Amino acid sequence: MKSIVILGGGYGGLTLVHELLEKKIPKDTRIVLIDRMAYQGLKTEYYALAAGTIPESHIRVAFPQDPRLDIIYGEITCIHLETKQVEISNHDPVPYDRLIIALGCVDKYHGVEGASEFSHSIQTLSSSRQAYIALNELKPYAQVSVVGGGLSGVEIASELRESRPDLNIRILDRGDSILSPFPERLRSYVRTWFLEHEVEMLGHCAISKLESGAIYNRDVELATDLTVWTAGIQPSPLVGALPVGKDPQGRVLLGEYHQIPEHPELFVIGDCASMPYSPSAQLAEVMARHVAEVLEAEWENRTPVLKPIKLKGVLGSLGKKCGFGLMGNKTTLIGKVPRVLKSGVLWMSKHHFG
């Protein structure tokens, strides 16, 4: 029996599972999904869980049940390329004929002393739960600092402002403005929203150290009761340990069909893959559909036909009533419409629509 093993049940991994189950899988082939959780967590909404504005059940998606699918729950500890096996804690090694790595990313702390010890993360469901407890147990008028003025930092700062209007909230970024890659019209709208809602913005920051109760911007000490870190991501450490070619960001270099050239039986999709696009759930899902087509073509002994990657854009929220977006890298959306669109995307994700 041949095994197609998928590591990670996030946006890319679960999309691939659904795509494969809709195809005519050969009778001698099984799909194996390995994940540490019993369901998918909708990672793009972890900021709202941490802020306490949605229940965890709202961002869980059940894995499918199908006789052609085996699901193994556990922590992946190592990928052995030579023996084609995956090691899992408290489980026998899992052999594979085709392996798809969809493990996502972790926080990148840029070598900042104390960053991992004295800040909260929203990269995993578990860490978001912990952030929720810590944030919502803060005393009134406590100071919350969000390090990183990108999409995640903006969303959790604004969501927390609606959840806890009593708190003092600041957002620190190394650039001259939050959301620096976005057009000025969009950035201006978000800055105005923050000013109106009394969220302090500090630019040109160079965070040198974190301690309990303090952030150091160069040599200037800033008092803080709780810090949330959203200042960068990097591929899963399991990918970092693989002896394969990588780009300067540590993402795996791939061939035309998202395969590792020296290991064509191994595919990488999502945040761990070196692509000419910013990592996103949308990109992971598109890559998953590509890999499903490649595998189907292999079964049918034909050349894969991949559709060009066309990403629809980016949507962000400012609480539950306002939002912002960039469609096709050209059209800027601000106000209620992008917030409604983002809610629609969440609904589609929960119901497995692309």
Side-chain angles (χ1 to χ4, degrees), residues 232-279:
I233 59 173
Q234 59 187 350
S236 163
L238 285 165
V239 169
L242 291 178
V244 298
K246 302 185 183 78
D247 66 14
Q249 288 73 43
R251 300 184 177 102
V252 179
L253 298 173
L254 301 173
E256 179 182 3
Y257 299 132
H258 310 319
Q259 293 164 291
I260 296 179
E262 57 267 42
H263 294 278
E265 75 284 355
L266 202 160
F267 301 79
V268 183
I269 59 177
D271 299 343
C272 297
S274 180
M275 296 290 287
Y277 308 92
S278 297

Side-chain angles (χ1 to χ4, degrees), residues 40-60:
Q40 179 198 11
L42 296 177
K43 190 173 183 177
T44 57
E45 305 302 312
Y46 284 177
Y47 72 91
L49 173 63
T53 57
I54 60 171
E56 184 177 316
S57 59
H58 190 63
I59 55 172
R60 289 184 183 180

Side-chain angles (χ1 to χ4, degrees), residues 18-268:
H18 282 285
E19 289 287 319
L20 292 177
L21 291 178
E22 291 178 0
K23 300 182 183 298
K24 293 182 179 179
I25 302 172
K27 292 182 179 179
D28 66 343
T29 301
R30 294 191 61 78
I31 303 169
V32 180
L33 173 64
I34 303 175
D35 199 280
R36 59 189 170 198
M37 298 196 300
Y39 41 77
Q40 179 198 11
L42 296 177
K43 190 173 183 177
T44 57
E45 305 302 312
Y46 284 177
Y47 72 91
L49 173 63
T53 57
I54 60 171
E56 184 177 316
S57 59
H58 190 63
I59 55 172
R60 289 184 183 180
V61 177
F63 291 145
Q65 295 183 351
D66 190 287
R68 299 166 295 173
L69 172 66
D70 293 331
I71 302 178
I72 299 174
Y73 303 111
E75 192 76 29
I76 302 165
T77 57
C78 189
I79 301 169
H80 296 286
L81 301 183
E82 299 305 321
T83 59
K84 296 183 181 180
Q85 289 185 326
V86 178
E87 284 190 12
I88 308 170
S89 58
N90 301 315
H91 195 282
D92 292 335
V94 177
Y96 63 83
D97 296 283
R98 296 290 180 269
L99 181 69
I100 298 88
I101 297 177
L103 291 171
C105 60
V106 297
D107 285 301
K108 186 173 184 178
Y109 294 107
H110 308 283
V112 175
E113 181 183 348
S116 61
E117 295 88 350
F118 298 109
S119 69
H120 285 270
S121 167
I122 54 172
Q123 282 298 325
T124 68
L125 195 56
S126 176
S127 64
S128 298
R129 289 188 192 111
Q130 296 172 27
Y132 161 76
I133 294 172
L135 285 165
N136 288 279
E137 288 187 348
L138 287 173
K139 295 180 179 180
Y141 311 111
Q143 176 69 60
V144 175
S145 301
V146 178
V147 179
L151 183 61
S152 295
V154 165
E155 288 192 312
I156 192 167
S158 58
E159 199 80 7
L160 189 61
R161 167 52 71 225
E162 290 198 352
S163 172
R164 291 288 305 272
D166 58 291
L167 294 176
N168 295 301
I169 303 172
R170 70 160 70 101
I171 185 166
L172 304 92
D173 192 68
R174 64 182 178 180
D176 61 353
S177 172
I178 55 175
L179 299 175
S180 56
F182 289 83
E184 174 56 28
R185 178 170 176 261
L186 186 153
R187 288 184 287 163
S188 177
Y189 174 76
V190 177
R191 287 196 301 265
T192 299
W193 191 96
F194 275 161
L195 290 172
E196 292 175 348
H197 292 81
E198 299 182 338
V199 175
E200 181 184 8
M201 293 169 284
L202 298 179
H204 300 291
C205 295
I207 307 303
S208 57
K209 183 171 64 172
L210 268 66
E211 293 178 347
S212 178
I215 298 175
Y216 289 86
N217 179 17
R218 297 181 176 87
D219 296 326
V220 178
E221 181 179 342
L222 301 173
T224 185
D225 294 293
L226 186 146
T227 301
V228 180
W229 189 272
T230 66
I233 59 173
Q234 59 187 350
S236 163
L238 285 165
V239 169
L242 291 178
V244 298
K246 302 185 183 78
D247 66 14
Q249 288 73 43
R251 300 184 177 102
V252 179
L253 298 173
L254 301 173
E256 179 182 3
Y257 299 132
H258 310 319
Q259 293 164 291
I260 296 179
E262 57 267 42
H263 294 278
E265 75 284 355
L266 202 160
F267 301 79
V268 183

Side-chain angles (χ1 to χ4, degrees), residues 312-347:
K312 297 177 182 178
V314 179
L315 292 169
S317 68
L318 292 172
K320 291 291 185 282
K321 296 181 180 179
C322 297
F324 55 91
L326 186 62
M327 300 293 101
N329 295 322
K330 294 181 180 181
T331 304
T332 298
L333 301 176
I334 56 177
K336 294 182 180 180
V337 171
R339 188 64 185 90
V340 172
L341 290 174
K342 190 171 189 294
S343 296
V345 170
L346 173 61
W347 184 89

